[in-house]
Amino acid sequence: MPHARAPLSLRSVRIAALAAAALYVAGLGAGVAQACTRAVYLGSDGVVITGRSMDWAEDMHTNLWAFPAGMARTGAAGANTPKWMSKYGSVIASGYDVGTADGMNEKGLVANLLYLAESEYAKPDGRPALSISLWAQYVLDTFATVSEAVTALSAEPFVVVTGDLPNGKGAQLHLAISDASGDSAIFEYLGGKLVVHHGRQYQVMTNSPSFDQQLALNSYWEQIGGTVFLPGTNRAADRFARASFFIKAIPTQAFPAILTAVPDGTYANQAVASVASVIRSVSVPLGLTTPGQPNIASTLWRTVSDQKNRVYFYDSATSPNSFWVPLGDLDLKAGAPVKKLTLTGGKVYSGNAAARFEPAEPFAFLPVDVK
């Protein structure tokens, strides 16, 4: 029989909090904290939902795109770059319309790119090179499950190469993926080496420090318990602790007290609303700046992906408005046209926005010049 944990005194809570803060500062070194949060909800009845926030210091000119299967792709990194045909269609959110920042494919595989200042990619070494702007899209195009992606990418068939974004900042990113079974994986490049964390238990990811240090930091808060004390700043480690507690604390089955308030009275829509509330709770207020830490940025938008029912929800912090796109309402078969839902310029949508996508020429992924 497990031992009951003794109640924590306020003094012990403060000591633990100070210890966690010290480890956090040590892990950051001279770097600064970055933004964005991702969390995976594991519910009953096969309900799996991934939510994320996109925190950035300026308008990213994000649009939504519907990419069908059968698209010819190139890795946009010189002559020795991968070429492939998309196996699966997907709905994605772009960054600056030069890369895929977030999205879900027709099999329920979700890819989320988040900032990681510590990223250090491998040097070109004769293997094909893939522009980081296509990293998430390659996964969405190619794989149906996390396990498939981990097996293929762990063999390192290419090197990911990076360059500067349109705003002049370096694209320093790590990748989280999840599938309709609830499996997850985190991919980071540290010291030029690919590091993969694979398992259903890896539900949450934020930014700095590296993922192994995020897990170590979070262990402090798990010992304290989220009902006793949670860190409240906009730093990545604090958001990690809050998201980790909340994503496991919300109901994992139909909750009668709120079920009647959600559209259609379904458990899936209740779960989507719960995950959206978790992501909002770790979002950074629009316009907030942190003196001395310019890279802690405001939340611009949030997505929530219902991976069982293949519905992609978009929640804007700048309009503000929410809407959704059932992938089943789009033509993602090979030969179908690329379509775009324009979000730039403060466009407002509500409800099911699938019919509002319009045919468009696909954007050009940001190339990286590899010598």
Side-chain angles (χ1 to χ4, degrees), residues 117-368:
E118 290 83 357
S119 297
E120 184 180 344
Y121 304 93
K123 304 296 183 185
D125 57 5
R127 287 176 292 169
L130 178 81
S131 169
I132 198 168
S133 65
L134 281 131
W135 193 14
Q137 191 62 53
Y138 178 86
V139 170
L140 295 173
D141 285 350
T142 309
F143 306 112
T145 68
V146 168
S147 182
E148 288 178 16
V150 168
T151 298
L153 297 181
S154 294
E156 299 193 70
F158 49 73
V159 293
V160 173
V161 290
T162 190
D164 289 340
L165 295 169
N167 67 351
K169 304 295 185 183
Q172 302 292 110
L173 306 165
H174 55 170
L175 173 66
I177 64 174
S178 57
D179 65 25
S181 77
D183 197 10
S184 279
I186 310 297
F187 298 86
E188 297 179 331
Y189 282 90
L190 302 171
K193 304 293 185 182
L194 176 64
V195 179
V196 180
H197 299 266
H198 178 204
R200 188 178 172 90
Q201 70 273 29
Y202 300 126
Q203 292 172 252
V204 174
M205 185 174 86
T206 53
N207 314 103
S208 296
S210 57
F211 190 68
D212 59 338
Q213 293 184 52
Q214 290 184 15
L215 295 174
L217 288 163
N218 192 53
S219 67
Y220 278 92
W221 304 114
E222 289 180 330
Q223 292 175 46
I224 295 169
T227 58
V228 176
F229 184 78
L230 280 172
T233 79
N234 54 6
R235 290 176 178 271
D238 289 5
R239 288 183 281 107
F240 191 103
R242 296 202 304 279
S244 295
F245 172 73
F246 289 136
I247 203 67
K248 296 171 185 175
I250 56 179
T252 55
Q253 56 190 5
F255 187 47
I258 60 174
L259 191 63
T260 55
V262 303
D264 300 324
T266 65
Y267 163 54
N269 284 339
Q270 169 203 301
V272 165
S274 291
V275 174
S277 67
V278 169
I279 299 302
R280 288 174 183 141
S281 76
V282 293
S283 295
V284 181
L286 190 64
L288 181 69
T289 59
T290 303
Q293 298 186 51
N295 292 311
I296 293 183
S298 304
T299 298
L300 299 181
W301 48 261
R302 294 165 284 262
T303 62
V304 178
S305 298
D306 179 348
Q307 290 156 267
K308 177 181 179 181
N309 298 299
R310 313 294 197 265
V311 184
Y312 190 69
F313 295 79
Y314 186 90
D315 181 26
S316 172
T318 54
S319 292
N321 65 291
S322 299
F323 61 88
W324 53 91
V325 182
L327 271 65
D329 289 354
L330 297 169
D331 186 357
L332 298 175
K333 297 188 296 294
V338 171
K339 289 190 173 183
K340 174 184 178 182
L341 185 68
T342 300
L343 304 181
T344 53
K347 295 288 193 301
V348 176
Y349 304 93
S350 63
N352 183 345
R356 306 290 296 275
F357 280 72
E358 297 179 344
E361 286 296 315
F363 62 81
F365 284 87
L366 183 72
V368 177

